[in-house]
Amino acid sequence: MSTSTKHKILIVDDEPDILELIEYNLKKEGYQVYSASNGQEGVNEAKKVLPDLIILDIMMPKMDGIEACRIMRTMPEFKNTFMVFLTARSEEYSEIAGFNVGADDYIAKPIKPRALVSRINAILRRNSSPEEVSDNKLEVSDLVIDREAYLVFQNGNKVVLAKKEFELLYLLASKPGKVYTRENILKNIWEDSVVVTNRTIDVHIRKLREKLGEQYVATVKGVGYKFEA
């Protein structure tokens, strides 16, 4: 099983069918999954299991998700825990409130299992690299890659990349020297798309080299690509 077996996830929601749906799909992916039915239970359970990621519904009895997140963010043990909110599409105000109390991301209802798993996998990958620093910038070689702003600076000069070009560069640069197969790249960058081909990856690699120079991304013949620090 993947490294997801090492990650603990707590789901906090007062709807049993949603708890069951999320729990089933995340366990199938290899995660250790815990659950609670309201914000107060969620805080108590989080103290016991110290999860890597907490999924919180917004509207719950006794204590809502916003308040639960706010409380946990004041506790040192949850400083680096990922907090993800479940929101209905009409609850834009809730998303804003969630980010204000320290949410890392949100997932819209109705829950789509494949999209949910992809999002959780991506969130937990965010801090998998030792080169990553706390302000969401990756500094490697003479590049600064700002994940939040989707900006790249080369020797202090801004380089404009398209979204997928940026994500591809970030993936490779997060682990210099690691060879990523085309299959790895497709799974990490394009995920659920069924129309992407190896040719698409090659085109994006070529564009990166045109914009940054040939020295960063090396081709490993017959295997894939890697970042040369």
Side-chain angles (χ1 to χ4, degrees), residues 141-158:
S141 191
D142 56 1
L143 300 178
V144 176
I145 307 171
D146 186 334
R147 187 181 61 214
E148 287 195 338
Y150 270 72
L151 290 175
V152 176
F153 295 89
Q154 183 180 38
N155 292 317
N157 299 311
K158 184 167 74 172

Side-chain angles (χ1 to χ4, degrees), residues 26-102:
L26 292 179
K27 280 185 174 178
K28 193 167 66 171
E29 189 72 8
Y31 292 108
Q32 299 177 56
V33 183
Y34 305 84
S35 63
S37 60
N38 63 62
Q40 185 59 63
E41 282 184 18
V43 172
N44 294 337
E45 186 71 6
K47 289 177 184 177
K48 287 192 287 186
V49 302
L50 298 177
D52 301 288
L53 183 146
I54 302 173
I55 300 172
L56 291 154
D57 188 31
I58 299 269
M59 303 299 292
M60 292 184 289
K62 297 185 181 179
M63 181 188 292
D64 64 25
I66 301 288
E67 180 65 9
C69 180
R70 187 192 66 75
I71 289 172
M72 287 187 284
R73 280 298 190 218
T74 66
M75 302 176 183
E77 59 265 46
F78 300 117
K79 181 182 177 185
N80 298 314
T81 303
F82 289 108
M83 305 273 186
V84 180
F85 280 102
L86 298 176
T87 65
R89 294 189 184 279
S90 60
E91 292 178 338
E92 184 177 349
Y93 71 92
S94 296
E95 293 166 17
I96 295 169
F99 286 125
N100 284 341
V101 295

Side-chain angles (χ1 to χ4, degrees), residues 77-185:
E77 59 265 46
F78 300 117
K79 181 182 177 185
N80 298 314
T81 303
F82 289 108
M83 305 273 186
V84 180
F85 280 102
L86 298 176
T87 65
R89 294 189 184 279
S90 60
E91 292 178 338
E92 184 177 349
Y93 71 92
S94 296
E95 293 166 17
I96 295 169
F99 286 125
N100 284 341
V101 295
D104 294 289
D105 211 335
Y106 70 91
I107 294 171
K109 293 179 179 179
I111 303 297
K112 297 178 181 178
R114 284 185 68 192
L116 168 80
V117 169
S118 292
R119 180 70 68 86
I120 296 302
N121 288 343
I123 292 167
L124 286 168
R125 280 198 302 267
R126 289 179 189 174
N127 72 341
S128 62
S129 171
E131 292 82 21
E132 192 173 320
V133 293
S134 60
D135 60 354
N136 292 310
K137 292 180 182 177
L138 186 67
E139 299 183 17
V140 58
S141 191
D142 56 1
L143 300 178
V144 176
I145 307 171
D146 186 334
R147 187 181 61 214
E148 287 195 338
Y150 270 72
L151 290 175
V152 176
F153 295 89
Q154 183 180 38
N155 292 317
N157 299 311
K158 184 167 74 172
V159 180
V160 178
L161 300 179
K163 185 173 185 286
K164 290 300 184 186
E165 293 167 11
F166 177 93
E167 290 173 354
L168 178 55
L169 176 65
Y170 189 89
L171 174 69
L172 297 175
S174 65
K175 294 186 178 178
K178 174 180 169 60
V179 179
Y180 285 87
T181 66
R182 286 179 169 82
E183 184 182 7
N184 292 151
I185 293 170

Side-chain angles (χ1 to χ4, degrees), residues 17-29:
D17 54 338
I18 291 181
L19 276 179
E20 185 178 350
L21 175 68
I22 299 175
E23 187 170 358
Y24 171 78
N25 282 279
L26 292 179
K27 280 185 174 178
K28 193 167 66 171
E29 189 72 8

